[in-house]
Amino acid sequence: MSSPPVFTEACLDASFTRATRRETLTLLNTRLHPALQKILAAEVASGNRVVDVGIDWPDAGSVHVTLHNHFDNRHATAEAVFSLCDDPHYWYADYSTTSKPTHLLIC
């Protein structure tokens, strides 16, 4: 018996179209690095929502996820490093994996 997926449509912002929801949830549940899955789950539990998901940036094979609300460094680990960018042209902060390919959570 397999366990239910960690991420469901409840974690997605309303701006996601119906056509992209299944693909997005597959990326979050199967391809996002486990360290970032844990952080994302904590953020979603606190009310944050996913507004964008993409692949192959910054590295081939990576997943990057953008969250609606700002987050802080409380979830930093040896596998997921926090960085404050605070640049309105880019983003406020991110968590990045220390292994390659580099996966990102961005806010």
Side-chain angles (χ1 to χ4, degrees), residues 17-73:
T17 64
R18 179 68 54 197
T20 61
R21 288 175 177 260
R22 179 175 289 155
E23 179 182 325
T24 298
L25 292 171
T26 297
L27 289 172
L28 296 177
N29 284 302
T30 64
R31 292 191 50 195
L32 184 63
H33 190 283
L36 295 188
Q37 284 181 331
K38 289 178 187 174
I39 296 169
L40 180 58
E43 285 295 315
V44 167
S46 69
N48 212 342
R49 294 293 172 257
V50 175
V51 294
D52 185 52
V53 175
I55 58 171
D56 296 331
W57 183 87
D59 299 325
S62 67
V63 176
H64 62 274
V65 179
T66 304
L67 296 175
H68 184 269
N69 299 326
H70 288 180
F71 49 68
D72 59 25
N73 65 349

